[in-house]
Amino acid sequence: MSFNHNKIEEKWRNYWLNNKTFKSNSQTNKEKFYVLDMFPYPSGAGLHVGHPEGYTATDIISRMKRMQGYEVLHPMGWDAFGLPAEQYALDTGNDPEEFTKQNVNTFRRQIQELGFSYDWDREINTTDPSYYKWTQWIFLKLYEKGLAYIDEVPVNWCPALGTVLANEEVIDGKSERGGHPVVRKPMKQWMLKITAYADRLLDDLEELDWPESIKDMQRNWIGRSEGAEVQFEIADHEETFTVFTTRPDTLFGATYAVLAPEHPLVEKVTTPEQKEQVNQYIEKVTAKSDLERTDLAKEKTGVFTGAHAINPINGEKLPIWVADYVLMTYGSGAIMAVPAHDERDYEFAKKFDLKIVPVVEGGDVEKEAYTGDGKHINSDFLNGLNKEDGIRRAIDWLEENGKGEKKVTYRLRDWLFSRQRYWGEPIPIIHWEDGSMSAVSEDELPLELPKTTEIKPSGTGESPLANIDDWVNVVDPETGMNGRRETNTMPQWAGSCWYFLRFIDPDNDQKLADPEYLKKWLPIDVYIGGAEHAVLHLLYARFWHKFLYDIGVVPTKEPFQKLFNQGMILGENNEKMSKSKGNVVNPDDIVESHGADTLRLYEMFMGPLDASVAWSTNGLDGARRFLDRVWRLFITDDNQLSHKVVDSVTEDSLEKSYHETIKKVTENFEDLRFNTGISQMMVFINEAYKAEQISKDYAEGFVKILSPVAPHLAEELWEKLGHDESIAYEAWPAYDEAKLVENEVEIVIQVMGKVRAKMMVDKNASKEELEQQALENASIKERLEGKTVRKVIAVPGKLVNIVAN
RNA sequence: GCGGGUGUGGCGGAAUUGGCAGACGCGCUAGACUUAGGAUCUAGUGUUUUUAAACGUGGGGGUUCAAGUCCCUCCACCCGCACCA
């Protein structure tokens, strides 16, 4: 008979909640372990089967660590600000707050039904004023330190959403959410100076236990590159401009210069004859969206300005061009072009028939640009030097002559922190009528988001808050001066930049969190979530954490010591699950039909945690079948403990298998290799079915190691085994290494590397003994008939290989 | 183009320091129990051909007594970045 999952799961779910079984205590002397999930955005669609994958993984770790004697912090909360709720509210006329609340309730119910061992007393919600009070507080600290500033920048304006998007929210020229077109438009925006932390964000990656691919993506995103800044004078003009180059050694090979279309000097230096052409070009380029600009960039375009720059190293006149392959946002928005040794410059020079002068030996400039190393030529005092020495010598020359200096540039830009939306944290700043600006004082936090039914975009680019007069208008009580509140709100990333800190002390109204508790719990020992947050969330959170470290709020330089990215669960047809494809699996349905334990087990057994694997209904059935097998092994049809389970067995046939299982499962879970750990549990159950008797010790040990994966079933079995306390804090079983090796081991005998026979030998048999016994083996002897044994390799405990011909 | 990763049965996937390839699960086949069932139990299941053997971890080459694992080379697919000077 199979077990009734609905009944059992409900029973234990309520038991855990009512008893607060998983409440963590910040004041114990136990060693701590902080296991964190990336908290979800509570969408209207409810939980996706992808969510429980990571959540089960962290839950297994949490449950195992508790049983191993750790004090475990395993919390859950809601990243509930954001565009979808606002869009929904706009579409339906509902209140985003109300909508969010409903979604959170659904998510909570679904998550609780899966039996995750969260401490629900620590539940947090980023839209809760008592939470975003501290998000705003951190913003004020950033502002105080000059790390939050207003800048007029060309931003990604999305007319359909009525808001500005960060670069990373724009995919292929369209909004990440919704896929609406995006254009560039200059606007005043709040920026966070993440670039001030670029080097530390880069360097400190070294000490983190993260997947190398994620570290690489962050390195790539930060994009540190070393080189030099070089000053160029302009013939017949007062102005000079600066270029950034990683190859100052090729300065003698510079044959023209390029300014980005947005470069302020373009207008000034363009000659009257070229004016018309240049203006037309710039008009064309700025009208292009980012998408078109990169797309059409396959073919280089540009226009000569008529002006000439002076190469500082040899006084040569270089034509100055405007071209959109040079980006205003990187370096100084201007380059010196060395077509002989840069592929982009080469392509451009070929197209517009510009001079190409090789300065490094090794390539053939008739065919292509040569970017490799080699002896310098045509380069005066650099001649004969290699690339590395050439660069050093060139920088020395620039610095000695006041023409430039060594310089490090980053691809990382400052973080565009404003959103013209309603459903976000208000930025606590007031703009006064005299043009000054001041921060809302700390004791006035939280600056609450006003209730309103008018959340349509104002249309002007300002957020809907601009239309709420009694909120937006303020009067200074002392001076009587009129002011206007900042109407921009924070982006969705803000709340998730520090939520892991609030879990540590969620109800503190004096501080973001108690320093003692922060010291106890940080850093996070394991953080699991999807790879889609590889750069943005993880980089922003690291940035805020480092800042909080600098101002003495947190005790660690990095928040997430170990990071792991779970893979995706694909639809049964191997495609990404989506409503339109009709391949979505709803966790509620599975919990109802197969049970939460089955879903947990199945998702962990599908494959490695980081792999993307297609859902399989048959596989799910198989997972349930295993749990049924476990149940039937221990429990009879009339719901009693099986007679197979005895206090002391007459023959301990399971000894080796049991110890092997405990060892493997413990190690595999530790390494997040749940699929192999589960397969070992299956092996044990298969063995146990064959055994006449099962000792109660083994039965209990097995139920314990099963409990992190299938906690409801394990609690029920634990009770049947005669216990009246939860299994959650029972000691994790130990294994005996000595029991893993039997006295007799099977040794393989190979001839010429091919297995020809097997023999049982004493586990301590020496090389010589192995060799001798192998050569005496009857079938081997037969095989060696007429051959000469050249060599015998014996590996104790493994094999003997005989080389003969 | 650059960076990272992955290629193993019909399918998902296992495989310490190089040491019996295919654990475990799914599927399939046969048998048992059955008012013959989408239940359970037992056995089998990489491929080719008869036992025995040969061939087998994307392709090719190499190192080694021994290679899924190490080296070289090529190919395919996935993820990220994409004119970053």
Side-chain angles (χ1 to χ4, degrees):
Chain A
M1 219 175 75
S2 67
F3 62 97
N4 181 334
H5 60 267
N6 302 94
K7 225 169 110 188
I8 290 176
E9 290 180 358
E10 189 186 2
K11 169 180 166 186
W12 290 103
R13 173 164 77 242
N14 290 333
Y15 175 94
W16 297 325
L17 288 172
N18 294 336
N19 289 283
K20 293 190 187 292
T21 304
F22 304 112
K23 191 170 172 60
S24 24
N25 181 356
S26 291
Q27 313 203 47
T28 61
N29 296 320
K30 288 190 198 172
E31 205 175 323
K32 69 94 185 181
F33 204 86
Y34 189 173
V35 191
L36 186 68
D37 292 294
M38 289 185 185
F39 68 161
Y41 173 76
S43 73
L47 213 63
H48 180 272
V49 284
H51 286 113
E53 190 181 14
Y55 297 168
T56 303
T58 53
D59 201 53
I60 291 171
I61 297 297
S62 301
R63 287 178 180 269
M64 179 172 77
K65 288 289 170 187
R66 275 188 209 102
M67 294 173 84
Q68 289 173 337
Y70 290 86
E71 185 70 31
V72 171
L73 179 56
H74 187 42
M76 180 46 74
W78 320 107
D79 187 15
F81 272 131
L83 203 51
E86 183 156 344
Q87 267 316 101
Y88 169 85
L90 278 170
D91 295 344
T92 64
N94 286 309
D95 180 4
E97 187 178 344
E98 190 49 42
F99 176 66
T100 300
K101 207 183 219 169
Q102 285 170 20
N103 291 346
V104 164
N105 287 338
T106 302
F107 263 71
R108 189 192 303 105
R109 172 186 64 75
Q110 291 184 303
I111 286 176
Q112 286 181 345
E113 282 178 3
L114 287 165
F116 298 129
S117 62
Y118 297 118
D119 176 357
W120 289 102
D121 289 348
R122 293 175 187 264
E123 178 181 345
I124 59 178
N125 183 326
T126 55
T127 66
D128 186 339
S130 70
Y131 178 87
Y132 69 67
K133 168 180 178 174
W134 298 103
T135 312
Q136 291 172 330
W137 181 84
I138 295 168
F139 177 86
L140 287 185
K141 293 291 153 192
L142 286 161
Y143 178 67
E144 267 172 38
K145 302 285 175 193
L147 293 166
Y149 63 96
I150 291 182
D151 196 13
E152 173 118 7
V153 284
V155 296
N156 305 300
W157 168 248
C158 177
L161 298 174
T163 189
V164 165
L165 301 171
N167 285 328
E168 47 273 23
E169 291 173 300
V170 182
I171 311 283
D172 293 338
K174 297 202 164 143
S175 65
E176 187 188 15
R177 294 182 203 277
H180 305 291
V182 174
V183 295
R184 300 188 71 77
K185 178 178 171 183
M187 275 179 111
K188 274 197 173 151
Q189 300 288 323
W190 281 97
M191 307 291 291
L192 295 189
K193 215 177 204 163
I194 190 171
T195 51
Y197 282 77
D199 270 327
R200 287 165 65 190
L201 289 168
L202 192 65
D203 294 345
D204 291 347
L205 282 172
E206 300 306 322
E207 50 198 72
L208 297 178
D209 180 8
W210 287 20
E212 201 50 41
S213 62
I214 301 294
K215 288 192 189 182
D216 258 337
M217 281 165 73
Q218 293 216 346
R219 285 186 194 114
N220 200 291
W221 194 265
I222 293 166
R224 182 188 152 100
S225 77
E226 283 184 37
E229 243 176 21
V230 185
Q231 313 280 347
F232 280 77
E233 285 175 12
I234 304 169
D236 310 318
H237 280 276
E238 287 298 302
E239 283 91 355
T240 63
F241 66 96
T242 304
V243 307
F244 172 71
T245 176
T246 54
R247 296 293 304 274
D249 58 311
T250 61
L251 196 44
F252 285 100
T255 55
Y256 64 103
V258 184
L259 300 179
E262 297 88 353
H263 199 286
L265 277 184
V266 172
E267 204 185 331
K268 289 185 187 161
V269 302
T270 302
T271 57
E273 306 83 68
Q274 296 299 108
K275 203 97 201 166
E276 180 69 26
Q277 268 199 60
V278 168
N279 285 349
Q280 267 180 24
Y281 179 70
I282 289 175
E283 212 168 288
K284 214 171 76 195
V285 165
T286 44
K288 283 189 211 170
S289 69
D290 272 3
L291 173 67
E292 293 167 314
R293 206 161 148 173
T294 45
D295 235 29
L296 297 175
K298 305 256 172 352
E299 181 79 350
K300 296 246 182 313
T301 59
V303 175
F304 178 45
T305 63
H308 289 84
I310 309 294
N311 188 339
I313 213 159
N314 58 11
E316 263 183 44
K317 281 176 104 179
L318 309 178
I320 300 176
W321 285 65
V322 187
D324 69 352
Y325 82 92
V326 173
L327 308 174
M328 193 59 223
T329 44
Y330 185 77
S332 57
I335 62 157
M336 63 177 211
V338 185
H341 306 289
D342 181 284
E343 280 153 21
R344 297 149 301 180
D345 297 344
Y346 185 85
E347 200 188 318
F348 192 82
K350 275 285 177 195
K351 176 160 179 193
F352 293 101
D353 206 19
L354 293 157
K355 210 161 68 166
I356 300 174
V357 178
V359 289
V360 180
E361 266 180 4
D364 177 4
V365 295
E366 291 305 316
K367 292 203 193 97
E368 60 187 358
Y370 176 69
T371 55
D373 201 350
K375 248 188 198 176
H376 281 67
I377 50 174
N378 301 328
S379 292
D380 194 351
F381 60 91
L382 296 178
N383 283 339
L385 297 177
N386 65 15
K387 185 164 154 183
E388 195 189 330
D389 294 335
I391 289 172
R392 198 174 312 127
R393 183 71 191 88
I395 290 174
D396 286 347
W397 184 90
L398 289 166
E399 290 181 346
E400 281 160 21
N401 292 277
K403 299 288 188 190
E405 59 189 359
K406 194 178 165 128
K407 168 88 177 173
V408 177
T409 301
Y410 302 89
R411 187 176 316 188
L412 180 73
R413 326 257 171 84
D414 278 346
W415 176 10
L416 178 58
F417 198 66
S418 303
R419 296 294 181 278
Q420 289 65 47
R421 295 176 193 163
Y422 169 75
W423 193 231
E425 300 89 343
I427 292 176
I429 294 286
I430 299 170
H431 303 274
W432 300 104
E433 60 186 346
D434 66 355
S436 68
M437 156 169 90
S438 69
V440 171
S441 82
E442 271 180 42
D443 54 23
E444 286 175 42
L445 297 182
L447 171 58
E448 291 201 34
L449 196 58
K451 279 242 168 216
T452 179
T453 50
E454 272 310 306
I455 59 168
K456 285 192 189 65
S458 66
T460 61
E462 278 194 292
S463 89
L465 293 176
N467 296 330
I468 304 173
D469 292 340
D470 54 352
W471 183 84
V472 79
N473 296 315
V474 290
V475 176
D476 188 316
E478 283 171 29
T479 63
M481 198 194 294
N482 289 318
R484 209 163 173 272
R485 290 193 190 280
E486 172 64 54
T487 58
N488 285 326
T489 53
M490 301 186 195
Q492 204 191 337
W493 310 106
S496 59
C497 271
W498 72 283
Y499 74 108
F500 45 91
L501 301 175
R502 191 62 177 172
F503 279 135
I504 289 171
D505 193 10
D507 299 317
N508 197 324
D509 57 3
Q510 299 303 308
K511 289 189 159 138
L512 175 158
D514 188 304
E516 281 306 305
Y517 293 169
L518 289 170
K519 206 167 148 195
K520 175 177 176 79
W521 290 110
L522 289 174
I524 289 153
D525 298 279
V526 181
Y527 190 29
I528 296 183
E532 65 273 21
H533 294 114
V535 186
L536 308 176
H537 160 60
L538 288 170
L539 197 65
Y540 293 156
R542 290 179 63 220
F543 161 45
W544 276 33
H545 196 87
K546 285 186 181 304
F547 168 70
L548 291 173
Y549 173 76
D550 287 350
I551 63 170
V553 174
V554 299
T556 59
K557 285 197 283 186
E558 287 284 339
F560 317 120
Q561 189 49 44
K562 177 173 176 146
L563 173 78
F564 198 86
N565 293 116
Q566 92 235 18
M568 227 188 315
I569 295 181
L570 305 172
E572 207 139 12
N573 58 355
N574 235 308
E575 290 180 82
K576 206 169 160 173
M577 283 192 190
S578 79
K579 258 189 202 155
S580 58
K581 288 187 186 127
N583 60 353
V584 175
V585 177
N586 182 345
D588 279 348
D589 297 341
I590 307 301
V591 168
E592 175 60 30
S593 62
H594 290 71
D597 284 340
T598 299
L599 179 59
R600 296 168 57 118
L601 176 77
Y602 172 59
E603 293 207 3
M604 293 300 98
F605 186 61
M606 288 174 92
L609 186 60
D610 56 358
S612 290
V613 183
W615 181 268
S616 153
T617 304
N618 283 330
L620 178 75
D621 290 340
R624 170 61 193 226
R625 209 141 46 219
F626 170 65
L627 293 181
D628 279 334
R629 265 169 77 75
V630 171
W631 179 261
R632 283 198 315 269
L633 178 64
F634 296 122
I635 306 296
T636 62
D637 280 355
D638 52 358
N639 218 13
Q640 300 300 309
L641 190 63
S642 164
H643 295 297
K644 261 182 107 165
V645 180
V646 295
D647 285 333
S648 63
V649 293
T650 45
E651 199 205 326
D652 197 358
S653 62
L654 291 172
E655 187 179 61
K656 186 184 175 209
S657 179
Y658 174 79
H659 286 274
E660 218 165 29
T661 300
I662 301 298
K663 176 183 160 80
K664 204 165 171 207
V665 169
T666 307
E667 289 174 356
N668 285 173
F669 282 8
E670 193 78 45
D671 298 338
L672 308 177
R673 296 169 62 218
F674 304 110
N675 56 332
T676 53
I678 289 165
S679 97
Q680 182 60 40
M681 289 200 269
M682 289 171 170
V683 170
F684 177 76
I685 291 299
N686 290 345
E687 295 283 322
Y689 260 87
K690 288 176 195 148
E692 292 290 318
Q693 298 178 318
I694 303 163
S695 84
K696 201 169 176 206
D697 282 351
Y698 291 174
E700 294 195 345
F702 176 80
V703 171
K704 285 180 182 176
I705 59 169
L706 178 67
S707 73
V709 183
H712 309 88
L713 183 72
E715 289 277 22
E716 188 69 16
L717 288 170
W718 189 244
E719 194 179 71
K720 293 268 189 244
L721 284 161
H723 303 277
D724 48 18
E725 290 274 305
S726 164
I727 198 171
Y729 292 91
E730 291 296 326
W732 189 256
Y735 60 89
D736 184 349
E737 199 79 46
K739 300 280 166 60
L740 297 178
V741 196
E742 292 186 80
N743 293 331
E744 289 249 293
V745 289
E746 192 184 55
I747 291 288
V748 172
I749 309 173
Q750 298 179 332
V751 177
M752 299 300 288
K754 293 210 162 63
V755 179
R756 297 302 182 188
K758 293 175 181 183
M759 61 181 180
M760 296 303 292
V761 298
D762 186 273
K763 66 172 175 185
N764 294 319
S766 68
K767 267 188 176 184
E768 290 70 25
E769 287 168 318
L770 283 178
E771 187 174 329
Q772 193 198 342
Q773 286 191 46
L775 290 171
E776 280 167 6
N777 184 288
S779 78
I780 295 298
K781 264 186 165 167
E782 208 173 298
R783 249 173 217 289
L784 295 178
E785 201 93 12
K787 291 178 178 170
T788 314
V789 174
R790 304 287 172 189
K791 193 173 175 185
V792 178
I793 294 107
V795 183
K798 288 250 159 67
L799 55 68
V800 179
N801 188 10
I802 300 163
V803 185
N805 57 8

